[in-house]
PDB file of all heavy atoms in Angstrom:
ATOM      1  N   MET A  77       8.646   5.996  11.437  1.00  0.00           N
ATOM      2  CA  MET A  77       9.636   6.182  10.457  1.00  0.00           C
ATOM      3  C   MET A  77       9.849   7.650  10.060  1.00  0.00           C
ATOM      4  O   MET A  77      10.772   8.174   9.452  1.00  0.00           O
ATOM      5  CB  MET A  77       9.304   5.434   9.168  1.00  0.00           C
ATOM      6  CG  MET A  77       9.283   3.939   9.363  1.00  0.00           C
ATOM      7  SD  MET A  77      10.877   3.133   9.366  1.00  0.00           S
ATOM      8  CE  MET A  77      11.219   3.055   7.630  1.00  0.00           C
ATOM      9  N   ILE A  78       8.821   8.501  10.378  1.00  0.00           N
ATOM     10  CA  ILE A  78       8.778   9.789   9.860  1.00  0.00           C
ATOM     11  C   ILE A  78       8.755  10.865  10.987  1.00  0.00           C
ATOM     12  O   ILE A  78       7.911  10.831  11.896  1.00  0.00           O
ATOM     13  CB  ILE A  78       7.476  10.076   9.065  1.00  0.00           C
ATOM     14  CG1 ILE A  78       7.413   9.074   7.824  1.00  0.00           C
ATOM     15  CG2 ILE A  78       7.363  11.504   8.490  1.00  0.00           C
ATOM     16  CD1 ILE A  78       6.009   9.066   7.082  1.00  0.00           C
ATOM     17  N   GLY A  79       9.680  11.722  10.989  1.00  0.00           N
ATOM     18  CA  GLY A  79       9.783  12.769  12.062  1.00  0.00           C
ATOM     19  C   GLY A  79      11.221  13.295  12.265  1.00  0.00           C
ATOM     20  O   GLY A  79      12.123  12.711  11.713  1.00  0.00           O
ATOM     21  N   PRO A  80      11.343  14.221  13.153  1.00  0.00           N
ATOM     22  CA  PRO A  80      12.648  14.795  13.360  1.00  0.00           C
ATOM     23  C   PRO A  80      13.566  13.659  13.886  1.00  0.00           C
ATOM     24  O   PRO A  80      13.275  13.007  14.859  1.00  0.00           O
ATOM     25  CB  PRO A  80      12.548  15.829  14.525  1.00  0.00           C
ATOM     26  CG  PRO A  80      11.039  16.214  14.279  1.00  0.00           C
ATOM     27  CD  PRO A  80      10.341  14.910  13.835  1.00  0.00           C
ATOM     28  N   GLY A  81      14.755  13.448  13.216  1.00  0.00           N
ATOM     29  CA  GLY A  81      15.728  12.471  13.705  1.00  0.00           C
ATOM     30  C   GLY A  81      15.514  11.128  13.300  1.00  0.00           C
ATOM     31  O   GLY A  81      16.281  10.161  13.514  1.00  0.00           O
ATOM     32  N   LYS A  82      14.271  10.849  12.697  1.00  0.00           N
ATOM     33  CA  LYS A  82      13.957   9.455  12.213  1.00  0.00           C
ATOM     34  C   LYS A  82      14.480   9.213  10.869  1.00  0.00           C
ATOM     35  O   LYS A  82      15.142  10.063  10.297  1.00  0.00           O
ATOM     36  CB  LYS A  82      12.396   9.262  12.340  1.00  0.00           C
ATOM     37  CG  LYS A  82      11.916   9.392  13.730  1.00  0.00           C
ATOM     38  CD  LYS A  82      10.368   9.189  13.678  1.00  0.00           C
ATOM     39  CE  LYS A  82       9.736   9.412  15.174  1.00  0.00           C
ATOM     40  NZ  LYS A  82       8.260   9.187  15.080  1.00  0.00           N
ATOM     41  N   VAL A  83      14.258   8.029  10.351  1.00  0.00           N
ATOM     42  CA  VAL A  83      14.852   7.660   9.079  1.00  0.00           C
ATOM     43  C   VAL A  83      14.377   8.644   8.092  1.00  0.00           C
ATOM     44  O   VAL A  83      15.193   9.013   7.169  1.00  0.00           O
ATOM     45  CB  VAL A  83      14.625   6.182   8.582  1.00  0.00           C
ATOM     46  CG1 VAL A  83      13.125   5.927   8.566  1.00  0.00           C
ATOM     47  CG2 VAL A  83      15.231   5.757   7.415  1.00  0.00           C
ATOM     48  N   PHE A  84      13.204   9.042   8.039  1.00  0.00           N
ATOM     49  CA  PHE A  84      12.692  10.136   7.069  1.00  0.00           C
ATOM     50  C   PHE A  84      12.620  11.279   7.928  1.00  0.00           C
ATOM     51  O   PHE A  84      11.608  11.766   8.404  1.00  0.00           O
ATOM     52  CB  PHE A  84      11.355   9.750   6.578  1.00  0.00           C
ATOM     53  CG  PHE A  84      11.227   8.462   5.847  1.00  0.00           C
ATOM     54  CD1 PHE A  84      10.215   7.592   5.939  1.00  0.00           C
ATOM     55  CD2 PHE A  84      12.296   8.034   4.812  1.00  0.00           C
ATOM     56  CE1 PHE A  84      10.147   6.283   5.410  1.00  0.00           C
ATOM     57  CE2 PHE A  84      12.180   6.856   4.216  1.00  0.00           C
ATOM     58  CZ  PHE A  84      11.144   5.949   4.488  1.00  0.00           C
ATOM     59  N   ASP A  85      13.867  11.992   8.090  1.00  0.00           N
ATOM     60  CA  ASP A  85      13.981  13.023   8.943  1.00  0.00           C
ATOM     61  C   ASP A  85      13.420  14.315   8.439  1.00  0.00           C
ATOM     62  O   ASP A  85      13.819  14.844   7.474  1.00  0.00           O
ATOM     63  CB  ASP A  85      15.557  13.264   9.134  1.00  0.00           C
ATOM     64  CG  ASP A  85      15.895  14.248  10.167  1.00  0.00           C
ATOM     65  OD1 ASP A  85      15.046  14.989  10.694  1.00  0.00           O
ATOM     66  OD2 ASP A  85      17.081  14.371  10.588  1.00  0.00           O
ATOM     67  N   THR A  86      12.331  14.767   9.181  1.00  0.00           N
ATOM     68  CA  THR A  86      11.610  15.994   8.624  1.00  0.00           C
ATOM     69  C   THR A  86      12.325  17.226   8.903  1.00  0.00           C
ATOM     70  O   THR A  86      11.947  18.288   8.444  1.00  0.00           O
ATOM     71  CB  THR A  86      10.228  16.023   9.377  1.00  0.00           C
ATOM     72  OG1 THR A  86      10.347  15.827  10.712  1.00  0.00           O
ATOM     73  CG2 THR A  86       9.313  14.884   8.736  1.00  0.00           C
ATOM     74  N   ASP A  87      13.430  17.172   9.656  1.00  0.00           N
ATOM     75  CA  ASP A  87      14.362  18.414   9.659  1.00  0.00           C
ATOM     76  C   ASP A  87      15.166  18.498   8.397  1.00  0.00           C
ATOM     77  O   ASP A  87      15.710  19.503   8.095  1.00  0.00           O
ATOM     78  CB  ASP A  87      15.290  18.268  10.846  1.00  0.00           C
ATOM     79  CG  ASP A  87      14.652  18.479  12.111  1.00  0.00           C
ATOM     80  OD1 ASP A  87      13.606  19.082  12.182  1.00  0.00           O
ATOM     81  OD2 ASP A  87      15.090  17.931  13.203  1.00  0.00           O
ATOM     82  N   LYS A  88      15.207  17.398   7.578  1.00  0.00           N
ATOM     83  CA  LYS A  88      16.013  17.314   6.323  1.00  0.00           C
ATOM     84  C   LYS A  88      15.170  17.116   5.142  1.00  0.00           C
ATOM     85  O   LYS A  88      15.412  17.787   4.070  1.00  0.00           O
ATOM     86  CB  LYS A  88      17.083  16.217   6.562  1.00  0.00           C
ATOM     87  CG  LYS A  88      17.941  15.945   5.331  1.00  0.00           C
ATOM     88  CD  LYS A  88      18.873  14.732   5.592  1.00  0.00           C
ATOM     89  CE  LYS A  88      19.813  14.553   4.370  1.00  0.00           C
ATOM     90  NZ  LYS A  88      20.715  13.381   4.667  1.00  0.00           N
ATOM     91  N   TYR A  89      14.213  16.309   5.298  1.00  0.00           N
ATOM     92  CA  TYR A  89      13.373  15.893   4.060  1.00  0.00           C
ATOM     93  C   TYR A  89      11.964  16.469   4.171  1.00  0.00           C
ATOM     94  O   TYR A  89      11.466  16.740   5.226  1.00  0.00           O
ATOM     95  CB  TYR A  89      13.275  14.451   3.945  1.00  0.00           C
ATOM     96  CG  TYR A  89      14.494  13.655   3.793  1.00  0.00           C
ATOM     97  CD1 TYR A  89      14.948  12.818   4.767  1.00  0.00           C
ATOM     98  CD2 TYR A  89      15.317  13.772   2.707  1.00  0.00           C
ATOM     99  CE1 TYR A  89      16.089  12.062   4.691  1.00  0.00           C
ATOM    100  CE2 TYR A  89      16.455  13.143   2.584  1.00  0.00           C
ATOM    101  CZ  TYR A  89      16.970  12.253   3.576  1.00  0.00           C
ATOM    102  OH  TYR A  89      18.107  11.593   3.463  1.00  0.00           O
ATOM    103  N   PHE A  90      11.419  16.609   3.010  1.00  0.00           N
ATOM    104  CA  PHE A  90       9.954  16.970   2.808  1.00  0.00           C
ATOM    105  C   PHE A  90       9.240  15.678   2.528  1.00  0.00           C
ATOM    106  O   PHE A  90       9.475  15.214   1.345  1.00  0.00           O
ATOM    107  CB  PHE A  90       9.730  18.110   1.751  1.00  0.00           C
ATOM    108  CG  PHE A  90       8.377  18.426   1.386  1.00  0.00           C
ATOM    109  CD1 PHE A  90       7.559  19.100   2.364  1.00  0.00           C
ATOM    110  CD2 PHE A  90       7.784  17.884   0.206  1.00  0.00           C
ATOM    111  CE1 PHE A  90       6.225  19.407   1.959  1.00  0.00           C
ATOM    112  CE2 PHE A  90       6.447  18.327  -0.036  1.00  0.00           C
ATOM    113  CZ  PHE A  90       5.671  19.014   0.784  1.00  0.00           C
ATOM    114  N   VAL A  91       8.523  15.147   3.368  1.00  0.00           N
ATOM    115  CA  VAL A  91       7.902  13.842   3.206  1.00  0.00           C
ATOM    116  C   VAL A  91       6.450  14.060   2.814  1.00  0.00           C
ATOM    117  O   VAL A  91       5.700  14.776   3.411  1.00  0.00           O
ATOM    118  CB  VAL A  91       8.002  13.037   4.538  1.00  0.00           C
ATOM    119  CG1 VAL A  91       7.388  11.622   4.237  1.00  0.00           C
ATOM    120  CG2 VAL A  91       9.459  12.902   5.031  1.00  0.00           C
ATOM    121  N   LEU A  92       6.086  13.329   1.722  1.00  0.00           N
ATOM    122  CA  LEU A  92       4.807  13.436   1.150  1.00  0.00           C
ATOM    123  C   LEU A  92       4.155  12.091   1.067  1.00  0.00           C
ATOM    124  O   LEU A  92       4.771  11.107   0.609  1.00  0.00           O
ATOM    125  CB  LEU A  92       4.875  14.089  -0.211  1.00  0.00           C
ATOM    126  CG  LEU A  92       3.642  14.455  -0.944  1.00  0.00           C
ATOM    127  CD1 LEU A  92       2.799  15.521  -0.289  1.00  0.00           C
ATOM    128  CD2 LEU A  92       4.054  14.803  -2.376  1.00  0.00           C
ATOM    129  N   CYS A  93       2.851  11.925   1.418  1.00  0.00           N
ATOM    130  CA  CYS A  93       2.145  10.724   1.384  1.00  0.00           C
ATOM    131  C   CYS A  93       0.710  11.046   0.829  1.00  0.00           C
ATOM    132  O   CYS A  93      -0.023  11.776   1.344  1.00  0.00           O
ATOM    133  CB  CYS A  93       2.043   9.936   2.618  1.00  0.00           C
ATOM    134  SG  CYS A  93       1.226   8.336   2.426  1.00  0.00           S
ATOM    135  N   SER A  94       0.340  10.368  -0.360  1.00  0.00           N
ATOM    136  CA  SER A  94      -0.975  10.639  -0.921  1.00  0.00           C
ATOM    137  C   SER A  94      -1.768   9.301  -0.884  1.00  0.00           C
ATOM    138  O   SER A  94      -1.222   8.176  -0.987  1.00  0.00           O
ATOM    139  CB  SER A  94      -0.957  11.160  -2.316  1.00  0.00           C
ATOM    140  OG  SER A  94      -0.419  10.158  -3.216  1.00  0.00           O
ATOM    141  N   ASN A  95      -3.086   9.439  -0.879  1.00  0.00           N
ATOM    142  CA  ASN A  95      -3.978   8.247  -0.838  1.00  0.00           C
ATOM    143  C   ASN A  95      -4.168   7.947  -2.313  1.00  0.00           C
ATOM    144  O   ASN A  95      -4.512   8.797  -3.186  1.00  0.00           O
ATOM    145  CB  ASN A  95      -5.247   8.619  -0.218  1.00  0.00           C
ATOM    146  CG  ASN A  95      -6.242   7.486  -0.075  1.00  0.00           C
ATOM    147  OD1 ASN A  95      -7.498   7.725  -0.286  1.00  0.00           O
ATOM    148  ND2 ASN A  95      -5.865   6.331   0.268  1.00  0.00           N
ATOM    149  N   VAL A  96      -4.142   6.649  -2.651  1.00  0.00           N
ATOM    150  CA  VAL A  96      -4.324   6.240  -4.050  1.00  0.00           C
ATOM    151  C   VAL A  96      -5.797   6.367  -4.492  1.00  0.00           C
ATOM    152  O   VAL A  96      -6.693   6.316  -3.679  1.00  0.00           O
ATOM    153  CB  VAL A  96      -3.952   4.766  -4.191  1.00  0.00           C
ATOM    154  CG1 VAL A  96      -2.408   4.590  -3.964  1.00  0.00           C
ATOM    155  CG2 VAL A  96      -4.872   3.772  -3.483  1.00  0.00           C
ATOM    156  N   ILE A  97      -5.973   6.696  -5.820  1.00  0.00           N
ATOM    157  CA  ILE A  97      -7.285   6.644  -6.352  1.00  0.00           C
ATOM    158  C   ILE A  97      -7.807   5.180  -6.242  1.00  0.00           C
ATOM    159  O   ILE A  97      -7.062   4.292  -6.223  1.00  0.00           O
ATOM    160  CB  ILE A  97      -7.286   7.212  -7.719  1.00  0.00           C
ATOM    161  CG1 ILE A  97      -6.419   6.358  -8.718  1.00  0.00           C
ATOM    162  CG2 ILE A  97      -6.984   8.663  -7.782  1.00  0.00           C
ATOM    163  CD1 ILE A  97      -6.532   6.711 -10.192  1.00  0.00           C
ATOM    164  N   GLY A  98      -9.171   5.099  -6.098  1.00  0.00           N
ATOM    165  CA  GLY A  98      -9.698   3.722  -5.902  1.00  0.00           C
ATOM    166  C   GLY A  98      -9.993   3.451  -4.487  1.00  0.00           C
ATOM    167  O   GLY A  98     -10.702   2.598  -4.103  1.00  0.00           O
ATOM    168  N   SER A  99      -9.372   4.331  -3.568  1.00  0.00           N
ATOM    169  CA  SER A  99      -9.534   4.088  -2.132  1.00  0.00           C
ATOM    170  C   SER A  99     -10.870   4.763  -1.657  1.00  0.00           C
ATOM    171  O   SER A  99     -11.526   5.318  -2.393  1.00  0.00           O
ATOM    172  CB  SER A  99      -8.317   4.596  -1.406  1.00  0.00           C
ATOM    173  OG  SER A  99      -8.409   4.421   0.011  1.00  0.00           O
TER     174      SER A  99
END
Side-chain angles (χ1 to χ4, degrees):
M77 300 281 282
I78 301 169
K82 297 181 183 180
V83 61
F84 304 134
D85 188 348
T86 48
D87 289 334
K88 179 179 180 181
Y89 300 116
F90 175 72
V91 183
L92 185 67
C93 183
S94 71
N95 184 222
V96 299
I97 57 172
S99 181

